[in-house]
Amino acid sequence: MPFQTGIEKVTDCFNIICITLIKSNTQLYFKKPLFFFSVYTIYNNNVILLFQVLCTLRFMAKADFFSEVGDIHGISKSSVCVFLPRVCRALNAFLHIDFPTDAQTLLKMKEEFYAIAHFPNVVGAIDGTLIPIRGMNGEDEPVYVCRKNFHALNVQGVVDANMRFININCRFPGSTHDAYVFQHSSIPGILETLPGGGWLLGDSGYPLKDYLMTPFINPSTPAEERYNAAHCKTRNVVERTFGVLKARFRCLHSSGGYLPFKPEKCALVVETCMKLHNKDINERVPLRNGGAVANQHNNAVYQGAAPLRARELRQQLASRF
């Protein structure tokens, strides 16, 4: 049965996480090995690893209150508050997101993107998304209020054609423009030195660069319209990726409320969810809860002037369509 297959894949993925954490000596479990724990959640006043991971994953997936998450496993709210960031740090230590730099992998990525809508030389699709977080007081409070009038982080992600994140940035507040996040991330430096070249596809919120192709805001020829159509179809993979991410981890979506932490801890949880998303894609863990959800982002058009070389390159690309 497909449902049973899905449960088996989820269980296998969970077991891999627990075993890896034990082998990595993360000090998340205490005295009692994972394979010989009793029915009791608490052992010598410490919560064993299995239940720390279970509670953390439940919070991420369901966005339940800490008291509800703890009640399910017989753990206090304060204990959940303590070990959740510890589990996130441990997961982040062995789950990695790296932009590919070897020529063979990049060539395969370009072929996979080209198969979508015949848009050449694409090595990734980029976008930002708003992650709701708890309101706060102080001097920094206004910068976390996004254009949609709630407190948020503006999280940037670059994905491949298979909806895997290959670069992320979770540290900017919600009022930050997508273009600013991009320009102050590691991506420009990576793309400028990429073997064999290549470009990202971004929406009109990003600056047009030699290595970042954006759509024509006002297409004036049939070729430009076809370029925009191919660009939109190819870039849509990043929109779908954020939708799947938030459907899988409801703590990141407004339907789950908001992340009830300080911005630094919120960024930690977001990073963990994005890395676990990649693992789910690699392990083919099925998506439940009705499929992907709508993505929320700033929708602010970049107003800066584009370099002449970038404009000429985009015009040459448009002539291919």
Side-chain angles (χ1 to χ4, degrees):
M1 295 288 291
F3 180 76
Q4 293 175 334
T5 301
I7 291 296
E8 290 170 0
K9 288 178 178 177
V10 171
T11 303
D12 290 344
C13 190
F14 171 75
N15 288 338
I16 290 171
I17 290 173
C18 289
I19 293 169
T20 307
L21 287 176
I22 288 178
K23 290 181 177 179
S24 65
N25 191 27
T26 58
Q27 298 181 351
L28 286 174
Y29 71 105
F30 302 85
K31 300 181 174 71
K32 199 152 189 166
L34 174 65
F35 303 108
F36 302 99
F37 63 85
S38 68
V39 297
Y40 298 103
T41 300
I42 307 300
Y43 183 78
N44 288 350
N45 296 321
N46 289 303
V47 183
I48 60 176
L49 177 141
L50 173 68
F51 292 98
Q52 294 187 46
V53 176
L54 278 173
C55 288
T56 300
L57 295 181
R58 180 171 182 87
F59 168 75
M60 291 176 173
K62 305 291 289 185
D64 288 341
F65 292 110
F66 281 176
S67 56
E68 295 179 4
V69 172
D71 286 346
I72 292 173
H73 300 292
I75 300 170
S76 69
K77 175 182 175 181
S78 59
S79 294
V80 178
C81 293
V82 169
F83 65 66
L84 187 142
R86 293 171 57 193
V87 172
C88 288
R89 292 189 190 96
L91 290 170
N92 289 343
F94 82 89
L95 294 173
H96 303 287
I97 294 178
D98 298 306
F99 200 105
T101 55
D102 63 286
Q104 193 65 32
T105 302
L106 290 171
L107 179 60
K108 182 179 179 182
M109 291 170 62
K110 292 176 182 179
E111 291 173 348
E112 291 172 340
F113 273 113
Y114 185 79
I116 297 174
H118 295 172
F119 205 107
N121 210 35
V122 178
V123 296
I126 186 171
D127 201 5
T129 191
L130 296 172
I131 305 296
I133 66 173
R134 182 183 66 188
M136 66 204 76
N137 297 318
E139 296 180 356
D140 292 337
E141 188 268 341
V143 301
Y144 286 93
V145 179
C146 67
R147 286 168 48 106
K148 299 183 184 295
N149 204 32
F150 60 85
H151 294 83
L153 295 178
N154 188 5
V155 175
Q156 175 181 279
V158 181
V159 305
D160 65 14
N162 298 303
M163 297 200 300
R164 296 185 188 89
F165 289 104
I166 56 176
N167 187 273
I168 60 174
N169 191 311
C170 309
R171 63 190 179 91
F172 284 93
S175 66
T176 312
H177 197 287
D178 287 349
Y180 184 90
V181 178
F182 168 75
Q183 290 166 348
H184 290 81
S185 69
S186 61
I187 285 296
I190 293 173
L191 294 174
E192 288 172 354
T193 59
L194 202 64
W199 43 67
L200 301 182
L201 299 185
D203 62 20
S204 56
Y206 289 94
L208 177 64
K209 301 282 188 180
D210 294 359
Y211 46 78
L212 175 55
M213 292 292 107
T214 60
F216 291 95
I217 297 178
N218 297 302
S220 57
T221 67
E224 291 178 359
E225 291 177 353
R226 289 192 293 269
Y227 165 95
N228 276 8
H231 183 284
C232 179
K233 186 175 181 180
T234 308
R235 194 193 66 83
N236 183 257
V237 65
V238 69
E239 300 276 0
R240 290 186 285 114
T241 302
F242 278 124
V244 170
L245 172 73
K246 292 184 178 183
R248 202 185 294 275
F249 300 102
R250 287 285 172 167
C251 68
L252 306 182
H253 190 256
S254 56
S255 62
Y258 54 81
L259 289 175
F261 315 114
K262 293 181 178 179
E264 295 78 13
K265 189 181 289 187
C266 291
L268 176 68
V269 173
V270 174
E271 179 183 352
T272 305
C273 290
M274 297 175 88
K275 289 181 174 181
L276 286 173
H277 164 87
N278 275 11
K279 187 164 188 63
D280 290 338
I281 294 294
N282 292 335
E283 300 292 335
R284 299 184 181 275
V285 176
L287 176 65
R288 305 212 176 277
N289 300 326
V293 297
N295 184 26
Q296 290 180 306
H297 45 70
N298 273 325
N299 294 323
V301 176
Y302 180 74
Q303 300 295 337
L308 176 61
R309 175 177 167 77
R311 296 200 306 270
E312 291 176 344
L313 181 58
R314 183 173 65 176
Q315 203 65 52
Q316 291 174 10
L317 270 174
S319 66
R320 294 170 52 100
F321 292 96

